[in-house]
Amino acid sequence: MIIVVAILLLVCIGLPLFYAWHIWRLDESSILGWLLAVADACVFSALIILVGRWDIAGYYLQFVLMAVLAVSVTVSLVRHVRRPFAPPERSAFLKARFPTLISLAAFGAALVYVVSGTTPPGATQDLAFPLRDGRFVIGQGGGNTLLNKHAGHDAQRYAADITAVGPAGFRASGILPDELNRYEIFGNPVVSPCDGTVTGIVDGLPDLVPPEADRENPAGNHVVILCDGLRVELAHLQTGSVSVDVDQQVSVGTRIGLVGNSGNTTEPHLHIHAVDPATNVGVPITFDGRFPVRNSLFR
């Protein structure tokens, strides 16, 4: 697991830096050639920025990489701005640029697909944010599988997995530490995101050492609240922390437990989703009007 995380970090950081270096060194004979090369690099880098897990790589690093890319584009543009717009032999130019055009089309389509998942489809259920006093980042969230690993599951298709980051922008001290207290979100109080009635609770399952997972109890310790006719589930709570009972009436802000690492989870985080009981299909949720998309920051 730690090797997978390390590879993801290399992709998130290394590829944007490589493309910035590539743009910096460009020496095209025409502005059109420069535009194609820069567009290809920027589209791919934008895709990495949108789908990368910046709570792991460093939340603020994504903005540094965007700044580096912008500087490279600016410097390169100054070098190319007085060159002819089109090359003299266009057929040879198009043949030489065919791989770039294919890459631009493929990654452009992927970028459009990712962007389409950043807005909710139709009506949403607005909830209050279920955590307080911290910098919280959406690790999994959005309307498609490149942004949200839950999107392929009917009941959880609009679920959100929430982590926290410290002042430097990292969700933990280390890449995948096995000490739960090294994760920023572990032990953070979880509060009710709505007014409703508690319809189900599970407590007493152990907090696991990352990356262990309990696949027989996917939600781990969790609380289910009936809110406006929908079942809202908050999962992976800390063992022994659930502080509500079945049939208890709760209101927005009522404490219901602590963030833990129980159930089918590889590290501490809070999972939340809403389901229509009539269809058992997930309903899009927003937090105070904001659709939770990967890398969104909530305070």
Side-chain angles (χ1 to χ4, degrees), residues 84-123:
F85 180 78
E89 297 186 14
R90 297 187 182 181
S91 59
F93 170 80
L94 289 175
K95 184 177 180 180
R97 293 294 182 272
F98 186 72
T100 301
L101 292 171
I102 295 297
S103 172
L104 183 58
F107 289 116
L111 182 61
V112 170
Y113 173 71
V114 169
V115 171
S116 72
T118 62
T119 56

Side-chain angles (χ1 to χ4, degrees), residues 19-28 72 76 79-80:
Y19 276 108
W21 173 79
H22 173 68
I23 292 172
W24 184 283
R25 295 182 70 254
L26 278 177
D27 187 16
E28 296 286 340
S72 295
S76 185
R79 191 165 59 247
H80 286 82

